[in-house]
């Protein structure tokens, strides 16, 4: 596939990873990002299963990730008066992780690591403050895609266009000729994140999490800056999509100030340190929000247009999104390289490799949303007491290693090896 021209849209996690592997396969890669610079904010995410395998295949990445691991040893679940009733901790074994990952890292830090690993590669060019305006595919199977850009980059032709720009991908809408929200499956949940100057957890490496009814979850953890990273999550009944999500989406459209007021209205007076965190969050410089949803497509590619990461298969609340992004980037470039000269076969191979991984990591355990943030006072009382009991009896310690091992071992989803060209 020598000198194949690849356009990658999105410079967060999937995009730079795609760029690395396509360059390794001998392609000339352009990565565009609609924001004017790398985004360094974001919540903590974790790398598991196939994602660990991909990380270890990229020289220098694991060491860079370890240097930026979130300084958190566990999560303490607290009652409204601040008394803890259960703590989840890591296993200490990166190859047999628990529900707390040994590779916990902030999204922005991981994106920066991947950018740093690729930015000096002569086969990779980054263009910021740019996005796709239109794609035109030829009826001829071997003809390139013509891409027009929105912000001044000259119209160019590429052999493959890869959308890596998130669950609400604008490029997906252009490439598949659909709406931005088409193929998104609502989970009836949303979350907001931000870094505050106050240290609510008093320097502890054990974060604190609190649940209130109906369906409210709040968490705070130490940040290297000395403040705290804060999350507010609102979980609504799955059978009520029409009433739960439109107000949030409307607040998102109106901008950060309207959204902050919307969040405050939802969480104010919920107990614990919620009001204190809300007040601090109003001045967070990296405040941002997103709807928690899954993306499910009938096919991951159309002609010479293909999707990777959240744009093609957002995992929603399962925690598998980062792993899917890393694995998808590796498998796409690998399969195209494996079938060099036959792009159709390469894209079909990518889809076949991804199907079982997507199916597994998009599974939402039936009880998880309710356990995280019960809708009723009775449900919250029951959850708290059951959780406290199983932690006290150490049943949870055994159970989380068992269930965590089912999705956390790097060998759970073995990846194929490819003969890269360079």
């Amino acid at each position: 596939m020598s000198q194949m021209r690849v356009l990658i849209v999105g410079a967060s996690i999937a995009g730079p990873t795609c760029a690395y592997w396509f360059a390794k396969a001998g392609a000339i890669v352009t990565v565009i990002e609609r924001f004017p610079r790398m985004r360094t904010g974001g919540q903590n995410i974790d790398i598991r299963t196939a994602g660990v395998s991909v990380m270890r295949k990229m020289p220098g990445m694991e060491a860079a990730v370890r240097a930026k691991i979130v300084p958190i040893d566990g999560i303490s679940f607290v009652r409204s008066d601040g008394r803890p009733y259960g703590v989840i901790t890591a296993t200490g074994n990166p190859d047999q992780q628990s529900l707390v990952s040994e590779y916990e890292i902030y999204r922005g830090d991981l994106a920066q690591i991947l950018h740093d690993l690729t930015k000096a590669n002569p086969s990779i060019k980054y263009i910021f403050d740019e996005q796709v305006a239109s794609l035109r595919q030829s009826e001829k199977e071997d003809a390139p895609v013509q891409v027009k850009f929105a912000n001044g980059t000259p119209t160019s032709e590429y052999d493959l266009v890869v959308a890596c720009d998130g669950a609400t991908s604008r490029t997906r809408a252009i490439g598949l000729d659909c709406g931005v929200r088409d193929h998104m499956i609502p989970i009836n949940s949303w979350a907001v994140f931000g870094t505050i100057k106050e240290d609510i957890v008093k320097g502890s490496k054990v974060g604190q999490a609190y649940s209130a009814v109906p369906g409210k979850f709040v968490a705070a953890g130490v940040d290297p800056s000395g403040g705290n990273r804060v999350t507010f999550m609102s979980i609504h009944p799955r059978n009520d999509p029409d009433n739960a999500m439109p107000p949030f989406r409307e607040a998102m459209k109106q901008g950060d100030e309207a959204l902050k007021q919307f969040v405050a209205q939802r969480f104010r007076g919920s107990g614990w340190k919620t009001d204190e965190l809300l007040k601090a969050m109003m001045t967070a410089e990296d405040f941002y929000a997103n709807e928690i949803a899954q993306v499910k497509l009938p096919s991951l590619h159309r002609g010479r247009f293909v999707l990777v990461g959240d744009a093609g298969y957002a995992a929603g609340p399962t925690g598998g999104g980062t792993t899917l992004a890393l694995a998808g980037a590796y498998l796409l470039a690998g399969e195209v390289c494996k079938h060099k000269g036959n792009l159709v076969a390469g894209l079909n191979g990518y889809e076949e490799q991804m199907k079982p991984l997507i199916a597994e990591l998009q599974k939402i355990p039936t009880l998880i949303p309710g356990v995280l943030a019960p809708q009723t006072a009775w449900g919250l009382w029951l959850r708290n007491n059951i959780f406290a009991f199983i932690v006290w009896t150490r049943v949870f310690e055994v159970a989380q290693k068992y269930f965590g091992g089912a999705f956390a071992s790097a060998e759970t989803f073995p990846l194929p090896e490819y003969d890269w060209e360079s």
Side-chain angles (χ1 to χ4, degrees), residues 47-57 62 93-97 103 323 357 404-416:
I47 305 171
R48 300 181 184 272
T49 61
V52 174
S53 299
V54 174
M55 175 177 65
R56 289 175 174 170
K57 292 176 184 292
E62 185 172 12
N93 180 1
D95 293 318
Q96 192 69 31
Q97 299 178 44
Y103 294 110
T323 291
L357 189 57
F407 62 80
S409 170
E411 286 73 40
T412 304
F413 296 101
L415 296 175

Side-chain angles (χ1 to χ4, degrees), residues 171-341:
T171 316
R172 180 181 66 226
I174 295 171
L176 300 184
D177 191 24
C178 63
V180 170
R181 295 198 58 83
D182 290 355
H183 307 296
M184 290 182 65
I185 311 300
I187 306 299
N188 282 9
S189 301
W190 51 264
V192 297
F193 312 92
T195 304
I196 63 173
K197 297 177 182 178
E198 293 78 1
D199 183 9
I200 301 296
V201 301
K202 307 300 181 185
S204 173
K205 290 187 177 182
V206 177
Q208 295 184 4
Y210 170 71
S211 298
V213 295
K216 292 180 279 190
F217 177 82
V218 185
V222 67
D223 183 78
S225 68
N228 288 169
R229 295 275 177 122
V230 178
T231 300
F232 290 89
M233 186 180 299
S234 185
I235 298 173
H236 302 267
R238 295 283 294 276
N239 60 359
D240 190 26
D242 294 333
N243 292 323
M245 298 312 301
F248 171 75
R249 293 170 189 156
E250 182 59 33
M252 284 272 287
K253 291 179 182 177
Q254 294 177 18
D256 282 355
E257 291 308 313
L259 186 56
K260 287 177 181 179
Q261 294 305 316
F262 177 82
V263 174
Q265 184 178 15
R266 166 71 168 154
F267 281 87
R268 188 178 292 118
S270 296
W272 184 51
K273 299 176 180 179
T274 302
D275 287 351
E276 186 178 350
L277 291 170
L278 280 171
K279 182 179 179 180
M281 195 74 142
M282 294 300 110
T283 58
E285 295 181 1
D286 60 348
F287 175 91
Y288 86 103
N290 67 270
E291 178 177 345
I292 300 172
Q294 293 188 323
V295 172
K296 296 187 178 183
L297 296 170
S299 175
L300 297 179
H301 60 95
R302 183 181 192 181
R304 290 174 173 261
F305 174 74
V306 63
L307 301 106
V308 175
D310 283 358
Y313 31 80
T318 70
T322 304
T323 291
L324 284 173
L326 293 172
Y330 172 82
L331 290 168
L332 172 61
E335 288 296 315
V336 171
C337 181
K338 176 182 175 180
H339 297 90
K340 56 186 175 183

Side-chain angles (χ1 to χ4, degrees), residues 126-146:
Y126 281 89
I127 302 175
F128 290 89
D129 194 22
E130 190 56 277
Q131 55 189 312
V132 171
S134 68
L135 300 172
R136 189 174 73 182
Q137 296 206 53
S138 172
E139 294 181 0
K140 297 180 180 179
E141 188 176 283
D142 60 346
V145 185
Q146 185 183 81

